[in-house]
Short mmCIF file of all heavy atoms in Angstrom, two decimals:
data_model
loop_
_atom_site.label_atom_id
_atom_site.label_comp_id
_atom_site.label_asym_id
_atom_site.label_seq_id
_atom_site.Cartn_x
_atom_site.Cartn_y
_atom_site.Cartn_z
N VAL A 36 4.63 30.14 33.58
CA VAL A 36 4.45 29.62 34.93
C VAL A 36 5.75 29.00 35.45
O VAL A 36 6.09 29.14 36.62
CB VAL A 36 3.29 28.58 34.98
CG1 VAL A 36 3.28 27.82 36.29
CG2 VAL A 36 1.96 29.27 34.74
N MET A 90 1.76 20.09 32.31
CA MET A 90 1.36 20.53 33.65
C MET A 90 -0.14 20.32 33.82
O MET A 90 -0.92 20.59 32.89
CB MET A 90 1.67 22.01 33.84
CG MET A 90 3.14 22.33 33.84
SD MET A 90 3.43 24.10 34.03
CE MET A 90 2.96 24.33 35.73
N PRO A 91 -0.58 19.85 35.00
CA PRO A 91 -2.02 19.67 35.22
C PRO A 91 -2.77 21.00 35.28
O PRO A 91 -3.92 21.08 34.93
CB PRO A 91 -2.11 18.94 36.55
CG PRO A 91 -0.77 19.05 37.18
CD PRO A 91 0.21 19.39 36.12
N SER A 92 -2.09 22.07 35.72
CA SER A 92 -2.73 23.37 35.83
C SER A 92 -1.68 24.46 35.69
O SER A 92 -0.56 24.31 36.16
CB SER A 92 -3.43 23.51 37.17
OG SER A 92 -3.90 24.83 37.34
N THR A 93 -2.05 25.56 35.08
CA THR A 93 -1.14 26.69 34.97
C THR A 93 -1.62 27.86 35.82
O THR A 93 -1.20 28.98 35.64
CB THR A 93 -0.99 27.16 33.50
OG1 THR A 93 -2.29 27.45 32.99
CG2 THR A 93 -0.31 26.12 32.66
N ALA A 94 -2.47 27.57 36.80
CA ALA A 94 -2.99 28.60 37.68
C ALA A 94 -1.88 29.11 38.58
O ALA A 94 -1.05 28.36 39.08
CB ALA A 94 -4.13 28.06 38.53
N HIS A 96 -1.26 31.19 42.03
CA HIS A 96 -1.96 31.63 43.25
C HIS A 96 -1.13 32.62 44.01
O HIS A 96 0.03 32.58 44.07
CB HIS A 96 -2.27 30.44 44.15
CG HIS A 96 -3.16 29.44 43.51
ND1 HIS A 96 -4.51 29.61 43.38
CD2 HIS A 96 -2.90 28.28 42.88
CE1 HIS A 96 -5.03 28.58 42.75
NE2 HIS A 96 -4.06 27.75 42.44
#
Side-chain angles (χ1 to χ4, degrees):
V36 168
M90 294 178 71
S92 172
T93 55
H96 298 282

